[in-house]
Amino acid sequence: MKNKKKSETFSDVPLEQQPREKLLAHGPAFLSDKELLSVLLNAGVKGKNVKKLACELLVLLDGKKDIPSVKEITALTGIGKIKACAVCAMLEFGRRRYGSFSARIKQPADIFTLVRHFADRKQERFISLSLNGAHEVIAVRTVTIGLVNKTIVHPREVFADLIQDRAAAFCVAHNHPSGHLVSSQEDEDITQRLVQAARILGLHFVDHIIFSENNWWSFRENGRLTDE
């Protein structure tokens, strides 16, 4: 008879590595998205620990461009109306307080700071950053979610949100789950298609970066993206 695989929980790791203790010791920026949600949720339910619950909530949030409704959140087994209201309130407060014009893109490292929390995802995320004329951030959105090591994006999916935001400029970024920061032919192709579309629409294409958890690679810094 095969032994059942033990469900991994945050309690399986040393106390100092658990989300709440990490937050107390190092601050919220030190935690992954999943760990931040586990602190907010506080506890799981019978048959679903808080780590599993946080993972499911993160999948929902990753797939939404806007803040989900309480109804959408409570559709996840284990999250009731009280927790769902707390999640919605947290997301809306964060959007009001820090969401708009809280950052300005001056260099590739500034883009990395805003997207690096996506680096632990097992699938590629193609992300767009809408900017105003001063290169202040209007919005950061996940455009598409791909396979394990490949994502497919069409320029219209990128520019639809940019036009809605009345953006004057934009950046894009995507993670490489493998950790190898080498641009593929597909990466080169989509970058050039975005360049062509941006010229027609009169938008400034600031940069495209490929990133992992600890590093990034810039198309502009490597001469693959120019304003000519």
Side-chain angles (χ1 to χ4, degrees):
M1 183 178 177
K2 293 183 179 180
N3 294 326
K4 287 186 176 181
K5 184 179 179 181
K6 184 180 178 181
S7 178
E8 183 184 4
T9 68
F10 283 119
S11 61
D12 296 329
V13 300
L15 182 63
E16 66 274 11
Q17 295 180 27
Q18 292 180 25
R20 188 175 290 104
E21 282 63 39
K22 286 172 67 176
L23 191 152
L24 289 169
H26 305 288
F30 195 77
L31 277 65
S32 67
D33 288 358
K34 180 170 59 180
E35 290 171 328
L36 289 170
L37 290 176
S38 74
V39 172
L40 180 65
L41 294 171
N42 187 48
V45 294
K46 186 176 181 180
K48 186 181 291 185
N49 59 52
V50 70
K51 186 174 183 179
K52 175 66 174 174
L53 204 55
C55 286
E56 292 183 1
L57 178 56
L58 185 56
V59 170
L60 172 65
L61 296 177
D62 274 354
K64 300 286 291 182
K65 291 186 177 181
D66 299 309
I67 296 173
S69 66
V70 170
K71 184 177 180 180
E72 289 173 309
I73 296 175
T74 54
L76 298 175
T77 302
I79 300 184
K81 289 183 179 179
I82 293 176
K83 281 187 177 179
C85 286
V87 171
C88 284
M90 178 275 294
L91 293 172
E92 177 61 21
F93 180 79
R95 184 190 68 80
R96 294 181 186 183
R97 185 78 175 183
Y98 307 107
S100 300
F101 308 111
S102 60
R104 185 175 181 180
I105 303 301
K106 299 178 181 179
Q107 55 189 344
D110 298 329
I111 305 172
F112 180 56
T113 298
L114 294 173
V115 302
R116 67 180 303 174
H117 60 284
F118 287 106
D120 63 352
R121 308 304 199 266
K122 294 181 180 179
Q123 296 175 306
E124 278 194 11
R125 259 71 174 170
F126 196 94
I127 303 156
S128 72
L129 291 80
S130 301
L131 312 176
N132 65 15
H135 290 183
E136 294 170 322
V137 178
I138 299 171
V140 179
R141 293 186 178 91
T142 297
V143 180
T144 59
I145 300 175
L147 305 176
V148 174
N149 60 357
K150 184 177 181 181
T151 185
I152 299 174
V153 64
H154 192 282
R156 64 171 172 265
E157 297 172 303
V158 176
F159 288 102
D161 290 325
L162 297 175
I163 293 171
Q164 179 180 315
D165 293 336
R166 298 182 181 275
F170 71 101
C171 310
V172 295
H174 74 279
N175 62 309
H176 274 187
S178 66
H180 297 300
L181 300 181
V182 178
S183 62
S184 65
Q185 187 58 52
E186 289 83 2
D187 297 336
E188 299 283 349
D189 291 344
I190 186 58
T191 301
Q192 291 309 310
R193 293 175 71 188
L194 291 174
V195 166
Q196 294 167 10
R199 286 173 180 165
I200 293 172
L201 293 170
L203 295 176
H204 182 214
F205 189 179
V206 176
D207 207 347
H208 179 184
I209 71 165
I210 301 171
F211 65 97
S212 62
E213 290 191 55
N214 301 309
N215 209 345
W216 47 266
W217 186 90
S218 161
F219 275 77
R220 183 169 291 277
E221 284 197 342
N222 285 277
R224 308 292 181 85
L225 176 60
T226 65
D227 294 324
E228 295 179 358

